[in-house]
Amino acid sequence: MTVQNFNSYIDEKDLPYIFERFYRSDKSRQNDGKSFGLGLAITKEMVDKLNGEIKILSNKDNETIFSAKFH
């Protein structure tokens, strides 16, 4: 399964932390009460529980790709 997000770039230094709970790559953004930084952490946990693996690729052409593979 692959999800591609255009006009989105995640800096290479943030990639190792992107699946951690409450992690925000853009520290300047205010929490508007609608986002808690849990979505990717929950997704990773679900994929892990199903014996899968999830990867993320992001490039400076403003494209981010999440892929999950299930065994």
Side-chain angles (χ1 to χ4, degrees):
M1 174 175 64
T2 301
V3 176
Q4 190 170 2
N5 187 3
F6 296 102
N7 297 320
S8 170
Y9 169 68
I10 300 170
D11 196 293
E12 190 174 320
K13 68 178 176 51
D14 293 315
L15 290 177
Y17 310 103
I18 202 73
F19 293 111
E20 291 183 8
R21 291 177 186 260
F22 309 112
Y23 183 77
R24 292 177 186 275
S25 60
D26 186 352
K27 308 297 185 221
S28 67
R29 294 181 73 185
Q30 295 291 327
N31 185 355
D32 58 4
K34 297 178 184 175
S35 175
F36 297 97
L38 292 172
L40 290 175
I42 292 169
T43 300
K44 171 121 174 58
E45 200 168 310
M46 290 171 51
V47 170
D48 288 347
K49 288 190 184 289
L50 293 169
N51 296 319
E53 63 180 297
I54 189 167
K55 294 181 180 181
I56 181 172
L57 298 170
S58 192
N59 61 49
K60 292 192 178 189
D61 293 330
N62 284 330
E63 178 181 64
T64 300
I65 301 170
F66 292 89
S67 61
K69 183 176 183 179
F70 299 95
H71 307 280

